[in-house]
Amino acid sequence: MIETQAAAEIGPATEVALAGTPVNPKRRRTSLSRTRGEKIFAVVNVVVLLLAVAVTLFPFVNVLAQSLSSQKFIDQGTVTIWPQGWNFQTYKLVASDSTFWINYRNTIVYTVVSTAVSMLLSTMFAYAISRKDLKGRGFFIGLALVTMLYSGGIVPTYILVNKLHMTNTIWAIAIPNAISVFNVLVMKSFFENLPHELIEAAEIDGLNTYGTLIRIVLPLSKAVIATMILFYGVANWNSWFPAFLYMDHSSLYPVTVYLRNLIAGASGAQNAGAAADSDLTQIGANIKAVTMILTVLPILFVYPFIQRYFVSGVMLGSVKG
C-alpha cells in the first residue's frame, strides 16, 4: 500500500529529475516500432525476394508459353512469357493417344513402387549403420561408399537383370537403383542426432530393434522421411533409361519414354525435310516444351503438401546441439 502511494506521488517533475532528460510519453518508442533503417531494409528485402522469384519463375513461364505457341514464332525466338500464335495441336495429339495414358499410369505405378522399395531399404540400412553398437559398422559404411566411386557398368548390370528374369517387369526398374548412398548417409546423420536416451528407454521397455525403429525413431523422423520421399519420387518420375533398357513392349513404357520417342519421331521428320505445315513439323517445334510441362506438373502438385517437411529436411546435419 505504501509503495503504491509513493508511486502515485511521483509526478512529471520527479520523473524528469530521475531521468536527467525531459520525457514526452507520446514520443516514447515502443518495442513494436521500427527505425528508418529497419523500414528501408524491409523494403529492399521484399524487392530482392520478388526479383529472385521472377528470375526463378521466368524459365518455367517461358517453357509454358512455348508449349502453347506456333512453330513460326518459336523458330523466330520471339516467344518470352506470353504465347504467340496459340497452338494446342501437340497437347491434343498427346492427349488423344491411348498409349500416352497407359504409359502415364505406368509412370505412377513405377514411381510409387520404386519409391516404397527405396524408402524401405534405405531406412533399414541407414538405421543399422547409425547404431554404434553394430558389429562391422565401419565395413558396411565403407562398402556403401565404394559404390559411389565404382559401378558395375551397363552391360554387366543388364546381364544380371536378364539372368534374374526381371526384364519386362517392374522390378527391373525398382530394384537395381533402389538405394542412393547419398540419401542413406543423410538419413544416417539424422538418426545419429536423435537422443540416445530414447533408444535406451525403448530397449528397457522391452522393444526390439524393429519395434524401436517403427514406434520411436520413425515418428521423430518425419522431416527426413518426407525429404527422402521427395528425392526418390522425383528421381523415379523423371527416370527413363532403365525402362528404355529393360522393357521390350511399348505398353510397359513410362511416360518419359513415350515422350522421348515422340521427340525422336518429330525430330526425324524435321531432319527428313517434312512439309512446313505438317503435323510432325509443328509438333517438333514445341514438343520439348510440352514434354517438360507434362513431366513437371505432378511434382508441382505434390510438392506443396511436403514442402514444410522439405524445408526442415534440407538442413539435416548442418546444426548440431
mmCIF file of all heavy atoms in Angstrom, residues 65-116:
data_model
loop_
_atom_site.group_PDB
_atom_site.id
_atom_site.type_symbol
_atom_site.label_atom_id
_atom_site.label_comp_id
_atom_site.label_asym_id
_atom_site.label_seq_id
_atom_site.Cartn_x
_atom_site.Cartn_y
_atom_site.Cartn_z
ATOM 1 N N ALA A 65 4.874 -20.943 -72.252
ATOM 2 C CA ALA A 65 4.489 -20.129 -73.409
ATOM 3 C C ALA A 65 4.891 -20.809 -74.714
ATOM 4 O O ALA A 65 4.131 -20.798 -75.693
ATOM 5 C CB ALA A 65 5.119 -18.740 -73.299
ATOM 6 N N GLN A 66 6.066 -21.412 -74.756
ATOM 7 C CA GLN A 66 6.495 -22.104 -75.973
ATOM 8 C C GLN A 66 5.623 -23.319 -76.267
ATOM 9 O O GLN A 66 5.371 -23.632 -77.434
ATOM 10 C CB GLN A 66 7.954 -22.538 -75.833
ATOM 11 C CG GLN A 66 8.953 -21.395 -75.883
ATOM 12 C CD GLN A 66 10.386 -21.896 -75.992
ATOM 13 O OE1 GLN A 66 10.622 -23.015 -76.425
ATOM 14 N NE2 GLN A 66 11.322 -21.065 -75.586
ATOM 15 N N SER A 67 5.160 -23.996 -75.204
ATOM 16 C CA SER A 67 4.324 -25.171 -75.434
ATOM 17 C C SER A 67 2.975 -24.810 -76.040
ATOM 18 O O SER A 67 2.298 -25.676 -76.608
ATOM 19 C CB SER A 67 4.109 -25.921 -74.112
ATOM 20 O OG SER A 67 3.281 -25.182 -73.229
ATOM 21 N N LEU A 68 2.573 -23.545 -75.946
ATOM 22 C CA LEU A 68 1.292 -23.086 -76.472
ATOM 23 C C LEU A 68 1.452 -22.189 -77.698
ATOM 24 O O LEU A 68 0.475 -21.595 -78.152
ATOM 25 C CB LEU A 68 0.515 -22.332 -75.387
ATOM 26 C CG LEU A 68 0.140 -23.140 -74.148
ATOM 27 C CD1 LEU A 68 -0.449 -22.231 -73.073
ATOM 28 C CD2 LEU A 68 -0.856 -24.247 -74.500
ATOM 29 N N SER A 69 2.673 -22.077 -78.218
ATOM 30 C CA SER A 69 2.939 -21.199 -79.356
ATOM 31 C C SER A 69 3.102 -22.009 -80.636
ATOM 32 O O SER A 69 3.359 -23.220 -80.597
ATOM 33 C CB SER A 69 4.187 -20.356 -79.102
ATOM 34 O OG SER A 69 4.028 -19.549 -77.947
ATOM 35 N N SER A 70 2.989 -21.330 -81.763
ATOM 36 C CA SER A 70 3.120 -21.987 -83.058
ATOM 37 C C SER A 70 4.578 -22.028 -83.490
ATOM 38 O O SER A 70 5.438 -21.337 -82.940
ATOM 39 C CB SER A 70 2.289 -21.258 -84.110
ATOM 40 O OG SER A 70 2.762 -19.932 -84.276
ATOM 41 N N GLN A 71 4.838 -22.822 -84.499
ATOM 42 C CA GLN A 71 6.207 -23.063 -84.954
ATOM 43 C C GLN A 71 6.891 -21.775 -85.418
ATOM 44 O O GLN A 71 8.062 -21.554 -85.125
ATOM 45 C CB GLN A 71 6.189 -24.075 -86.094
ATOM 46 C CG GLN A 71 7.554 -24.307 -86.721
ATOM 47 C CD GLN A 71 7.437 -24.888 -88.114
ATOM 48 O OE1 GLN A 71 6.324 -25.175 -88.554
ATOM 49 N NE2 GLN A 71 8.559 -25.060 -88.791
ATOM 50 N N LYS A 72 6.163 -20.931 -86.129
ATOM 51 C CA LYS A 72 6.755 -19.727 -86.705
ATOM 52 C C LYS A 72 7.412 -18.853 -85.649
ATOM 53 O O LYS A 72 8.564 -18.439 -85.796
ATOM 54 C CB LYS A 72 5.678 -18.944 -87.458
ATOM 55 C CG LYS A 72 6.131 -17.596 -87.973
ATOM 56 C CD LYS A 72 4.983 -16.856 -88.628
ATOM 57 C CE LYS A 72 5.408 -15.444 -89.058
ATOM 58 N NZ LYS A 72 4.279 -14.703 -89.672
ATOM 59 N N PHE A 73 6.700 -18.585 -84.576
ATOM 60 C CA PHE A 73 7.221 -17.688 -83.548
ATOM 61 C C PHE A 73 8.297 -18.364 -82.700
ATOM 62 O O PHE A 73 9.216 -17.706 -82.203
ATOM 63 C CB PHE A 73 6.073 -17.191 -82.667
ATOM 64 C CG PHE A 73 5.040 -16.415 -83.424
ATOM 65 C CD1 PHE A 73 3.857 -17.013 -83.834
ATOM 66 C CD2 PHE A 73 5.242 -15.086 -83.754
ATOM 67 C CE1 PHE A 73 2.901 -16.309 -84.539
ATOM 68 C CE2 PHE A 73 4.289 -14.363 -84.462
ATOM 69 C CZ PHE A 73 3.120 -14.979 -84.859
ATOM 70 N N ILE A 74 8.204 -19.675 -82.544
ATOM 71 C CA ILE A 74 9.242 -20.390 -81.799
ATOM 72 C C ILE A 74 10.555 -20.355 -82.572
ATOM 73 O O ILE A 74 11.629 -20.116 -82.004
ATOM 74 C CB ILE A 74 8.806 -21.846 -81.526
ATOM 75 C CG1 ILE A 74 7.586 -21.863 -80.602
ATOM 76 C CG2 ILE A 74 9.940 -22.633 -80.902
ATOM 77 C CD1 ILE A 74 7.020 -23.250 -80.366
ATOM 78 N N ASP A 75 10.487 -20.575 -83.892
ATOM 79 C CA ASP A 75 11.691 -20.528 -84.712
ATOM 80 C C ASP A 75 12.306 -19.132 -84.747
ATOM 81 O O ASP A 75 13.531 -18.975 -84.815
ATOM 82 C CB ASP A 75 11.375 -20.985 -86.136
ATOM 83 C CG ASP A 75 11.005 -22.467 -86.190
ATOM 84 O OD1 ASP A 75 11.384 -23.196 -85.242
ATOM 85 O OD2 ASP A 75 10.345 -22.886 -87.155
ATOM 86 N N GLN A 76 11.467 -18.104 -84.687
ATOM 87 C CA GLN A 76 11.977 -16.729 -84.691
ATOM 88 C C GLN A 76 12.547 -16.320 -83.335
ATOM 89 O O GLN A 76 13.256 -15.319 -83.250
ATOM 90 C CB GLN A 76 10.852 -15.763 -85.081
ATOM 91 C CG GLN A 76 10.384 -15.897 -86.522
ATOM 92 C CD GLN A 76 9.215 -14.995 -86.838
ATOM 93 O OE1 GLN A 76 8.663 -14.333 -85.949
ATOM 94 N NE2 GLN A 76 8.830 -14.943 -88.111
ATOM 95 N N GLY A 77 12.251 -17.080 -82.292
ATOM 96 C CA GLY A 77 12.753 -16.764 -80.958
ATOM 97 C C GLY A 77 12.082 -15.573 -80.316
ATOM 98 O O GLY A 77 12.690 -14.893 -79.481
ATOM 99 N N THR A 78 10.834 -15.296 -80.699
ATOM 100 C CA THR A 78 10.122 -14.132 -80.169
ATOM 101 C C THR A 78 9.210 -14.473 -79.001
ATOM 102 O O THR A 78 8.566 -13.593 -78.442
ATOM 103 C CB THR A 78 9.294 -13.478 -81.280
ATOM 104 O OG1 THR A 78 8.371 -14.439 -81.805
ATOM 105 C CG2 THR A 78 10.198 -12.976 -82.394
ATOM 106 N N VAL A 79 9.135 -15.740 -78.613
ATOM 107 C CA VAL A 79 8.268 -16.142 -77.503
ATOM 108 C C VAL A 79 9.009 -15.931 -76.192
ATOM 109 O O VAL A 79 10.109 -16.464 -75.993
ATOM 110 C CB VAL A 79 7.836 -17.608 -77.640
ATOM 111 C CG1 VAL A 79 6.934 -18.012 -76.478
ATOM 112 C CG2 VAL A 79 7.141 -17.840 -78.963
ATOM 113 N N THR A 80 8.428 -15.148 -75.297
ATOM 114 C CA THR A 80 9.049 -14.901 -73.982
ATOM 115 C C THR A 80 8.171 -15.479 -72.874
ATOM 116 O O THR A 80 8.357 -16.625 -72.466
ATOM 117 C CB THR A 80 9.280 -13.405 -73.770
ATOM 118 O OG1 THR A 80 8.035 -12.690 -73.984
ATOM 119 C CG2 THR A 80 10.317 -12.879 -74.749
ATOM 120 N N ILE A 81 7.220 -14.660 -72.376
ATOM 121 C CA ILE A 81 6.359 -15.134 -71.296
ATOM 122 C C ILE A 81 4.905 -15.241 -71.731
ATOM 123 O O ILE A 81 4.060 -15.645 -70.926
ATOM 124 C CB ILE A 81 6.463 -14.228 -70.049
ATOM 125 C CG1 ILE A 81 5.970 -12.819 -70.378
ATOM 126 C CG2 ILE A 81 7.881 -14.206 -69.513
ATOM 127 C CD1 ILE A 81 5.908 -11.901 -69.162
ATOM 128 N N TRP A 82 4.606 -14.884 -72.968
ATOM 129 C CA TRP A 82 3.226 -14.947 -73.456
ATOM 130 C C TRP A 82 3.206 -15.706 -74.775
ATOM 131 O O TRP A 82 4.000 -15.432 -75.665
ATOM 132 C CB TRP A 82 2.653 -13.539 -73.637
ATOM 133 C CG TRP A 82 1.183 -13.547 -73.939
ATOM 134 C CD1 TRP A 82 0.592 -13.350 -75.166
ATOM 135 C CD2 TRP A 82 0.125 -13.789 -73.017
ATOM 136 N NE1 TRP A 82 -0.772 -13.443 -75.047
ATOM 137 C CE2 TRP A 82 -1.097 -13.711 -73.738
ATOM 138 C CE3 TRP A 82 0.078 -14.048 -71.649
ATOM 139 C CZ2 TRP A 82 -2.336 -13.902 -73.141
ATOM 140 C CZ3 TRP A 82 -1.161 -14.238 -71.042
ATOM 141 C CH2 TRP A 82 -2.341 -14.161 -71.788
ATOM 142 N N PRO A 83 2.305 -16.699 -74.912
ATOM 143 C CA PRO A 83 2.255 -17.483 -76.160
ATOM 144 C C PRO A 83 1.915 -16.611 -77.363
ATOM 145 O O PRO A 83 1.148 -15.645 -77.259
ATOM 146 C CB PRO A 83 1.131 -18.495 -75.867
ATOM 147 C CG PRO A 83 1.005 -18.534 -74.389
ATOM 148 C CD PRO A 83 1.346 -17.166 -73.902
ATOM 149 N N GLN A 84 2.494 -16.953 -78.495
ATOM 150 C CA GLN A 84 2.208 -16.258 -79.751
ATOM 151 C C GLN A 84 1.762 -17.278 -80.792
ATOM 152 O O GLN A 84 2.410 -18.304 -80.965
ATOM 153 C CB GLN A 84 3.452 -15.508 -80.243
ATOM 154 C CG GLN A 84 3.947 -14.447 -79.270
ATOM 155 C CD GLN A 84 5.070 -13.618 -79.858
ATOM 156 O OE1 GLN A 84 5.100 -13.368 -81.056
ATOM 157 N NE2 GLN A 84 5.993 -13.179 -79.018
ATOM 158 N N GLY A 85 0.678 -16.941 -81.472
ATOM 159 C CA GLY A 85 0.118 -17.892 -82.436
ATOM 160 C C GLY A 85 -0.366 -19.140 -81.729
ATOM 161 O O GLY A 85 0.149 -20.229 -81.961
ATOM 162 N N TRP A 86 -1.326 -18.980 -80.859
ATOM 163 C CA TRP A 86 -1.763 -20.058 -79.966
ATOM 164 C C TRP A 86 -1.885 -21.386 -80.711
ATOM 165 O O TRP A 86 -2.469 -21.468 -81.788
ATOM 166 C CB TRP A 86 -3.103 -19.698 -79.332
ATOM 167 C CG TRP A 86 -2.986 -18.614 -78.310
ATOM 168 C CD1 TRP A 86 -2.953 -17.273 -78.528
ATOM 169 C CD2 TRP A 86 -2.872 -18.782 -76.899
ATOM 170 N NE1 TRP A 86 -2.828 -16.585 -77.346
ATOM 171 C CE2 TRP A 86 -2.783 -17.483 -76.326
ATOM 172 C CE3 TRP A 86 -2.853 -19.881 -76.049
ATOM 173 C CZ2 TRP A 86 -2.670 -17.275 -74.965
ATOM 174 C CZ3 TRP A 86 -2.737 -19.683 -74.691
ATOM 175 C CH2 TRP A 86 -2.651 -18.392 -74.159
ATOM 176 N N ASN A 87 -1.326 -22.419 -80.103
ATOM 177 C CA ASN A 87 -1.304 -23.739 -80.727
ATOM 178 C C ASN A 87 -1.503 -24.811 -79.660
ATOM 179 O O ASN A 87 -0.727 -24.893 -78.708
ATOM 180 C CB ASN A 87 0.029 -23.960 -81.450
ATOM 181 C CG ASN A 87 0.237 -25.421 -81.794
ATOM 182 O OD1 ASN A 87 -0.640 -26.053 -82.379
ATOM 183 N ND2 ASN A 87 1.378 -25.969 -81.421
ATOM 184 N N PHE A 88 -2.562 -25.589 -79.807
ATOM 185 C CA PHE A 88 -2.838 -26.697 -78.887
ATOM 186 C C PHE A 88 -2.691 -28.044 -79.586
ATOM 187 O O PHE A 88 -3.124 -29.060 -79.066
ATOM 188 C CB PHE A 88 -4.257 -26.573 -78.323
ATOM 189 C CG PHE A 88 -4.491 -25.319 -77.521
ATOM 190 C CD1 PHE A 88 -5.021 -24.187 -78.119
ATOM 191 C CD2 PHE A 88 -4.167 -25.271 -76.178
ATOM 192 C CE1 PHE A 88 -5.237 -23.035 -77.390
ATOM 193 C CE2 PHE A 88 -4.378 -24.116 -75.435
ATOM 194 C CZ PHE A 88 -4.910 -22.992 -76.043
ATOM 195 N N GLN A 89 -2.066 -28.021 -80.754
ATOM 196 C CA GLN A 89 -2.009 -29.228 -81.570
ATOM 197 C C GLN A 89 -1.230 -30.344 -80.891
ATOM 198 O O GLN A 89 -1.660 -31.509 -80.889
ATOM 199 C CB GLN A 89 -1.362 -28.893 -82.919
ATOM 200 C CG GLN A 89 -1.357 -30.057 -83.903
ATOM 201 C CD GLN A 89 -0.854 -29.621 -85.261
ATOM 202 O OE1 GLN A 89 -0.762 -28.429 -85.536
ATOM 203 N NE2 GLN A 89 -0.526 -30.580 -86.097
ATOM 204 N N THR A 90 -0.098 -29.994 -80.300
ATOM 205 C CA THR A 90 0.719 -31.028 -79.667
ATOM 206 C C THR A 90 0.008 -31.617 -78.455
ATOM 207 O O THR A 90 0.017 -32.831 -78.245
ATOM 208 C CB THR A 90 2.079 -30.432 -79.251
ATOM 209 O OG1 THR A 90 2.678 -29.798 -80.377
ATOM 210 C CG2 THR A 90 2.998 -31.518 -78.734
ATOM 211 N N TYR A 91 -0.601 -30.751 -77.632
ATOM 212 C CA TYR A 91 -1.339 -31.249 -76.477
ATOM 213 C C TYR A 91 -2.486 -32.167 -76.912
ATOM 214 O O TYR A 91 -2.730 -33.215 -76.289
ATOM 215 C CB TYR A 91 -1.906 -30.076 -75.668
ATOM 216 C CG TYR A 91 -0.890 -29.395 -74.769
ATOM 217 C CD1 TYR A 91 -0.387 -28.140 -75.093
ATOM 218 C CD2 TYR A 91 -0.447 -30.005 -73.599
ATOM 219 C CE1 TYR A 91 0.534 -27.507 -74.275
ATOM 220 C CE2 TYR A 91 0.472 -29.378 -72.765
ATOM 221 C CZ TYR A 91 0.956 -28.123 -73.113
ATOM 222 O OH TYR A 91 1.871 -27.506 -72.293
ATOM 223 N N LYS A 92 -3.193 -31.789 -77.968
ATOM 224 C CA LYS A 92 -4.305 -32.596 -78.456
ATOM 225 C C LYS A 92 -3.819 -33.947 -78.962
ATOM 226 O O LYS A 92 -4.441 -34.986 -78.700
ATOM 227 C CB LYS A 92 -5.043 -31.855 -79.568
ATOM 228 C CG LYS A 92 -5.835 -30.648 -79.089
ATOM 229 C CD LYS A 92 -6.543 -29.963 -80.261
ATOM 230 C CE LYS A 92 -7.339 -28.755 -79.794
ATOM 231 N NZ LYS A 92 -8.014 -28.050 -80.926
ATOM 232 N N LEU A 93 -2.695 -33.930 -79.685
ATOM 233 C CA LEU A 93 -2.164 -35.185 -80.214
ATOM 234 C C LEU A 93 -1.763 -36.129 -79.085
ATOM 235 O O LEU A 93 -2.075 -37.313 -79.105
ATOM 236 C CB LEU A 93 -0.977 -34.900 -81.129
ATOM 237 C CG LEU A 93 -0.277 -36.135 -81.697
ATOM 238 C CD1 LEU A 93 -1.209 -36.863 -82.661
ATOM 239 C CD2 LEU A 93 1.010 -35.760 -82.402
ATOM 240 N N VAL A 94 -1.076 -35.579 -78.083
ATOM 241 C CA VAL A 94 -0.628 -36.412 -76.968
ATOM 242 C C VAL A 94 -1.817 -36.919 -76.156
ATOM 243 O O VAL A 94 -1.879 -38.096 -75.784
ATOM 244 C CB VAL A 94 0.346 -35.616 -76.086
ATOM 245 C CG1 VAL A 94 0.704 -36.407 -74.832
ATOM 246 C CG2 VAL A 94 1.623 -35.273 -76.854
ATOM 247 N N ALA A 95 -2.790 -36.029 -75.873
ATOM 248 C CA ALA A 95 -3.926 -36.408 -75.034
ATOM 249 C C ALA A 95 -4.863 -37.386 -75.726
ATOM 250 O O ALA A 95 -5.562 -38.162 -75.057
ATOM 251 C CB ALA A 95 -4.701 -35.167 -74.612
ATOM 252 N N SER A 96 -4.901 -37.378 -77.046
ATOM 253 C CA SER A 96 -5.806 -38.269 -77.774
ATOM 254 C C SER A 96 -5.221 -39.659 -77.975
ATOM 255 O O SER A 96 -5.922 -40.556 -78.465
ATOM 256 C CB SER A 96 -6.149 -37.668 -79.138
ATOM 257 O OG SER A 96 -4.970 -37.519 -79.930
ATOM 258 N N ASP A 97 -3.986 -39.858 -77.623
ATOM 259 C CA ASP A 97 -3.320 -41.148 -77.803
ATOM 260 C C ASP A 97 -3.523 -41.993 -76.549
ATOM 261 O O ASP A 97 -3.104 -41.614 -75.454
ATOM 262 C CB ASP A 97 -1.837 -40.944 -78.082
ATOM 263 C CG ASP A 97 -1.150 -42.226 -78.504
ATOM 264 O OD1 ASP A 97 -1.810 -43.289 -78.514
ATOM 265 O OD2 ASP A 97 0.052 -42.174 -78.823
ATOM 266 N N SER A 98 -4.156 -43.145 -76.692
ATOM 267 C CA SER A 98 -4.391 -44.020 -75.539
ATOM 268 C C SER A 98 -3.090 -44.548 -74.948
ATOM 269 O O SER A 98 -3.005 -44.814 -73.742
ATOM 270 C CB SER A 98 -5.295 -45.188 -75.943
ATOM 271 O OG SER A 98 -4.688 -45.952 -76.979
ATOM 272 N N THR A 99 -2.074 -44.699 -75.789
ATOM 273 C CA THR A 99 -0.790 -45.170 -75.290
ATOM 274 C C THR A 99 -0.193 -44.198 -74.284
ATOM 275 O O THR A 99 0.462 -44.610 -73.312
ATOM 276 C CB THR A 99 0.195 -45.372 -76.460
ATOM 277 O OG1 THR A 99 -0.383 -46.247 -77.419
ATOM 278 C CG2 THR A 99 1.504 -45.967 -75.964
ATOM 279 N N PHE A 100 -0.426 -42.910 -74.497
ATOM 280 C CA PHE A 100 0.080 -41.911 -73.559
ATOM 281 C C PHE A 100 -0.486 -42.132 -72.167
ATOM 282 O O PHE A 100 0.251 -42.093 -71.170
ATOM 283 C CB PHE A 100 -0.274 -40.514 -74.057
ATOM 284 C CG PHE A 100 -0.029 -39.428 -73.042
ATOM 285 C CD1 PHE A 100 1.251 -38.967 -72.788
ATOM 286 C CD2 PHE A 100 -1.082 -38.870 -72.332
ATOM 287 C CE1 PHE A 100 1.481 -37.979 -71.853
ATOM 288 C CE2 PHE A 100 -0.872 -37.877 -71.403
ATOM 289 C CZ PHE A 100 0.413 -37.427 -71.152
ATOM 290 N N TRP A 101 -1.791 -42.385 -72.066
ATOM 291 C CA TRP A 101 -2.404 -42.563 -70.757
ATOM 292 C C TRP A 101 -1.995 -43.891 -70.133
ATOM 293 O O TRP A 101 -1.864 -43.992 -68.900
ATOM 294 C CB TRP A 101 -3.925 -42.476 -70.880
ATOM 295 C CG TRP A 101 -4.368 -41.130 -71.358
ATOM 296 C CD1 TRP A 101 -4.883 -40.806 -72.581
ATOM 297 C CD2 TRP A 101 -4.296 -39.901 -70.621
ATOM 298 N NE1 TRP A 101 -5.140 -39.453 -72.654
ATOM 299 C CE2 TRP A 101 -4.796 -38.873 -71.462
ATOM 300 C CE3 TRP A 101 -3.865 -39.567 -69.338
ATOM 301 C CZ2 TRP A 101 -4.876 -37.543 -71.058
ATOM 302 C CZ3 TRP A 101 -3.932 -38.243 -68.929
ATOM 303 C CH2 TRP A 101 -4.437 -37.252 -69.775
ATOM 304 N N ILE A 102 -1.772 -44.908 -70.952
ATOM 305 C CA ILE A 102 -1.259 -46.176 -70.410
ATOM 306 C C ILE A 102 0.133 -45.973 -69.834
ATOM 307 O O ILE A 102 0.446 -46.438 -68.719
ATOM 308 C CB ILE A 102 -1.242 -47.257 -71.508
ATOM 309 C CG1 ILE A 102 -2.665 -47.603 -71.934
ATOM 310 C CG2 ILE A 102 -0.520 -48.508 -71.029
ATOM 311 C CD1 ILE A 102 -2.744 -48.560 -73.114
ATOM 312 N N ASN A 103 0.981 -45.287 -70.577
ATOM 313 C CA ASN A 103 2.335 -45.009 -70.090
ATOM 314 C C ASN A 103 2.322 -44.086 -68.880
ATOM 315 O O ASN A 103 3.178 -44.207 -67.989
ATOM 316 C CB ASN A 103 3.173 -44.401 -71.206
ATOM 317 C CG ASN A 103 3.423 -45.364 -72.357
ATOM 318 O OD1 ASN A 103 3.722 -44.977 -73.480
ATOM 319 N ND2 ASN A 103 3.288 -46.665 -72.085
ATOM 320 N N TYR A 104 1.378 -43.155 -68.829
ATOM 321 C CA TYR A 104 1.267 -42.270 -67.666
ATOM 322 C C TYR A 104 0.894 -43.070 -66.423
ATOM 323 O O TYR A 104 1.430 -42.844 -65.336
ATOM 324 C CB TYR A 104 0.216 -41.193 -67.928
ATOM 325 C CG TYR A 104 0.571 -39.849 -67.344
ATOM 326 C CD1 TYR A 104 1.174 -38.882 -68.132
ATOM 327 C CD2 TYR A 104 0.306 -39.543 -66.027
ATOM 328 C CE1 TYR A 104 1.507 -37.637 -67.623
ATOM 329 C CE2 TYR A 104 0.638 -38.311 -65.500
ATOM 330 C CZ TYR A 104 1.232 -37.358 -66.302
ATOM 331 O OH TYR A 104 1.566 -36.144 -65.776
ATOM 332 N N ARG A 105 -0.016 -44.019 -66.604
ATOM 333 C CA ARG A 105 -0.377 -44.901 -65.493
ATOM 334 C C ARG A 105 0.829 -45.726 -65.060
ATOM 335 O O ARG A 105 1.071 -45.923 -63.854
ATOM 336 C CB ARG A 105 -1.526 -45.812 -65.912
ATOM 337 C CG ARG A 105 -2.000 -46.775 -64.811
ATOM 338 C CD ARG A 105 -2.803 -47.895 -65.415
ATOM 339 N NE ARG A 105 -1.992 -48.682 -66.352
ATOM 340 C CZ ARG A 105 -2.484 -49.573 -67.192
ATOM 341 N NH1 ARG A 105 -3.788 -49.775 -67.261
ATOM 342 N NH2 ARG A 105 -1.685 -50.253 -68.004
ATOM 343 N N ASN A 106 1.603 -46.213 -66.026
ATOM 344 C CA ASN A 106 2.804 -46.975 -65.695
ATOM 345 C C ASN A 106 3.779 -46.127 -64.879
ATOM 346 O O ASN A 106 4.396 -46.626 -63.925
ATOM 347 C CB ASN A 106 3.489 -47.464 -66.972
ATOM 348 C CG ASN A 106 2.674 -48.489 -67.718
ATOM 349 O OD1 ASN A 106 1.770 -49.113 -67.163
ATOM 350 N ND2 ASN A 106 2.969 -48.671 -68.997
ATOM 351 N N THR A 107 3.922 -44.877 -65.254
ATOM 352 C CA THR A 107 4.827 -43.995 -64.527
ATOM 353 C C THR A 107 4.406 -43.844 -63.072
ATOM 354 O O THR A 107 5.243 -43.876 -62.158
ATOM 355 C CB THR A 107 4.889 -42.615 -65.194
ATOM 356 O OG1 THR A 107 5.392 -42.760 -66.521
ATOM 357 C CG2 THR A 107 5.795 -41.671 -64.422
ATOM 358 N N ILE A 108 3.115 -43.673 -62.854
ATOM 359 C CA ILE A 108 2.621 -43.542 -61.473
ATOM 360 C C ILE A 108 2.905 -44.812 -60.674
ATOM 361 O O ILE A 108 3.387 -44.759 -59.537
ATOM 362 C CB ILE A 108 1.118 -43.217 -61.484
ATOM 363 C CG1 ILE A 108 0.870 -41.853 -62.143
ATOM 364 C CG2 ILE A 108 0.555 -43.232 -60.066
ATOM 365 C CD1 ILE A 108 -0.594 -41.516 -62.307
ATOM 366 N N VAL A 109 2.620 -45.963 -61.278
ATOM 367 C CA VAL A 109 2.846 -47.238 -60.583
ATOM 368 C C VAL A 109 4.336 -47.447 -60.321
ATOM 369 O O VAL A 109 4.741 -47.810 -59.204
ATOM 370 C CB VAL A 109 2.279 -48.408 -61.405
ATOM 371 C CG1 VAL A 109 2.638 -49.747 -60.765
ATOM 372 C CG2 VAL A 109 0.772 -48.276 -61.540
ATOM 373 N N TYR A 110 5.169 -47.209 -61.338
ATOM 374 C CA TYR A 110 6.601 -47.378 -61.167
ATOM 375 C C TYR A 110 7.152 -46.444 -60.086
ATOM 376 O O TYR A 110 8.002 -46.832 -59.273
ATOM 377 C CB TYR A 110 7.335 -47.106 -62.488
ATOM 378 C CG TYR A 110 7.041 -48.093 -63.598
ATOM 379 C CD1 TYR A 110 7.335 -47.792 -64.925
ATOM 380 C CD2 TYR A 110 6.445 -49.324 -63.327
ATOM 381 C CE1 TYR A 110 7.062 -48.686 -65.949
ATOM 382 C CE2 TYR A 110 6.164 -50.216 -64.342
ATOM 383 C CZ TYR A 110 6.478 -49.888 -65.655
ATOM 384 O OH TYR A 110 6.202 -50.789 -66.657
ATOM 385 N N THR A 111 6.679 -45.212 -60.079
ATOM 386 C CA THR A 111 7.183 -44.242 -59.107
ATOM 387 C C THR A 111 6.795 -44.631 -57.692
ATOM 388 O O THR A 111 7.626 -44.584 -56.770
ATOM 389 C CB THR A 111 6.640 -42.835 -59.429
ATOM 390 O OG1 THR A 111 7.061 -42.455 -60.746
ATOM 391 C CG2 THR A 111 7.146 -41.815 -58.428
ATOM 392 N N VAL A 112 5.541 -45.021 -57.498
ATOM 393 C CA VAL A 112 5.068 -45.386 -56.152
ATOM 394 C C VAL A 112 5.796 -46.625 -55.640
ATOM 395 O O VAL A 112 6.307 -46.647 -54.509
ATOM 396 C CB VAL A 112 3.546 -45.613 -56.166
ATOM 397 C CG1 VAL A 112 3.079 -46.186 -54.829
ATOM 398 C CG2 VAL A 112 2.815 -44.311 -56.453
ATOM 399 N N VAL A 113 5.875 -47.655 -56.465
ATOM 400 C CA VAL A 113 6.508 -48.903 -56.035
ATOM 401 C C VAL A 113 8.004 -48.707 -55.825
ATOM 402 O O VAL A 113 8.571 -49.148 -54.807
ATOM 403 C CB VAL A 113 6.242 -50.024 -57.054
ATOM 404 C CG1 VAL A 113 7.017 -51.287 -56.684
ATOM 405 C CG2 VAL A 113 4.755 -50.329 -57.134
ATOM 406 N N SER A 114 8.673 -48.046 -56.762
ATOM 407 C CA SER A 114 10.119 -47.837 -56.646
ATOM 408 C C SER A 114 10.462 -46.983 -55.432
ATOM 409 O O SER A 114 11.426 -47.261 -54.718
ATOM 410 C CB SER A 114 10.655 -47.184 -57.918
ATOM 411 O OG SER A 114 10.427 -47.994 -59.049
ATOM 412 N N THR A 115 9.662 -45.950 -55.180
ATOM 413 C CA THR A 115 9.910 -45.100 -54.026
ATOM 414 C C THR A 115 9.687 -45.865 -52.727
ATOM 415 O O THR A 115 10.454 -45.713 -51.763
ATOM 416 C CB THR A 115 8.998 -43.859 -54.065
ATOM 417 O OG1 THR A 115 9.224 -43.154 -55.290
ATOM 418 C CG2 THR A 115 9.282 -42.936 -52.899
ATOM 419 N N ALA A 116 8.650 -46.709 -52.687
ATOM 420 C CA ALA A 116 8.396 -47.509 -51.494
ATOM 421 C C ALA A 116 9.544 -48.478 -51.225
ATOM 422 O O ALA A 116 10.007 -48.621 -50.075
ATOM 423 C CB ALA A 116 7.074 -48.262 -51.637
#
